[in-house]
Amino acid sequence: MISMIVAMDQNNGIGKNNDLLAHIKPDLSYFKKVTQKHTVIMGYHTYMSLPIRPLPNRQNIVVTRKNIDIEGAIVLHSIQEILQWIEDHEDDEVFICGGASIYEQFMPYAEKLYITHIFHSFDADTFFPKIGQDWEIKNVQATRENIEHQYPHVFTLYQRKVSSL
């Protein structure tokens, strides 16, 4: 199963200058908890923006057109290569972690969206694709810490609706 995980502001903003809009500790903990022991897939610039590379306790896949090796990560060069890799491996859920172009390209293949909705507008230059009518909210969770945070936020799980055709 292909899932996406992202934190976004009220305008679907997800980043600026190849960095997060805000470093929200509960969201970073949530990301770690959800993706632990799974495969995480991201573009080269997103990977290079990580403070710790590769992300520990996860299989890291970096998608890039560059012909390079990255220690501790698998480098693939196209969506088709990634889809084939997913098909050939046993991970029950893989996570698309950005950036914007990678989210856009994988949106048709995703079955779940783990979205941290931040109730704030930032000066973003990178955005998550619009969530269309083919998604439904399955779960929303927040604690007092999330709501009373400098940047209030909730963790929302979306599931792609099953077609009735």
Side-chain angles (χ1 to χ4, degrees):
M1 173 185 337
I2 297 174
S3 298
M4 295 188 183
I5 188 163
V6 67
M8 67 183 192
D9 76 0
Q10 295 174 150
N11 301 312
N12 286 25
I14 60 172
K16 176 142 185 178
N17 298 326
N18 203 39
D19 198 3
L20 299 174
L21 295 173
H23 292 268
I24 300 172
K25 192 170 183 179
D27 174 60
L28 298 173
S29 296
Y30 177 75
F31 175 89
K32 182 178 179 180
K33 182 180 117 189
V34 170
T35 63
Q36 200 89 356
K37 299 190 187 323
H38 290 288
T39 299
V40 291
I41 300 168
M42 65 200 85
Y44 177 78
H45 294 293
T46 298
Y47 182 79
M48 294 309 291
S49 75
L50 297 174
I52 298 171
R53 299 185 297 263
L55 290 173
N57 302 315
R58 284 156 274 206
Q59 174 66 67
N60 288 239
I61 295 179
V62 178
V63 59
T64 181
R65 290 186 187 102
K66 299 176 183 188
N67 190 15
I68 57 173
D69 288 324
I70 299 174
E71 188 175 335
I74 295 171
V75 176
L76 298 175
H77 305 293
S78 69
I79 299 302
Q80 289 68 35
E81 275 188 46
I82 293 170
L83 293 173
Q84 186 62 56
W85 188 94
I86 292 168
E87 191 174 303
D88 293 343
H89 291 78
E90 295 293 319
D91 200 340
D92 59 330
E93 189 170 17
V94 300
F95 289 89
I96 308 302
C97 303
S101 165
I102 303 299
Y103 285 131
E104 187 76 43
Q105 292 175 67
F106 273 100
M107 189 61 107
Y109 304 101
E111 295 177 45
K112 288 184 179 179
L113 306 175
Y114 293 79
I115 298 182
T116 301
H117 287 286
I118 306 166
F119 300 106
H120 186 82
S121 293
F122 294 93
D123 179 24
D125 63 11
T126 310
F127 298 86
F128 191 77
K130 183 173 171 36
I131 300 170
Q133 297 294 330
D134 49 341
W135 295 95
E136 61 186 343
I137 295 174
K138 289 308 235 183
N139 186 26
V140 179
Q141 62 186 77
T143 64
R144 185 178 192 132
E145 176 188 24
N146 304 125
I147 301 305
E148 294 179 352
H149 192 276
Q150 174 186 3
Y151 301 114
H153 55 280
V154 296
F155 305 115
T156 307
L157 175 61
Y158 292 80
Q159 178 97 32
R160 188 178 294 277
K161 291 179 185 175
V162 178
S163 175
S164 59
L165 298 177

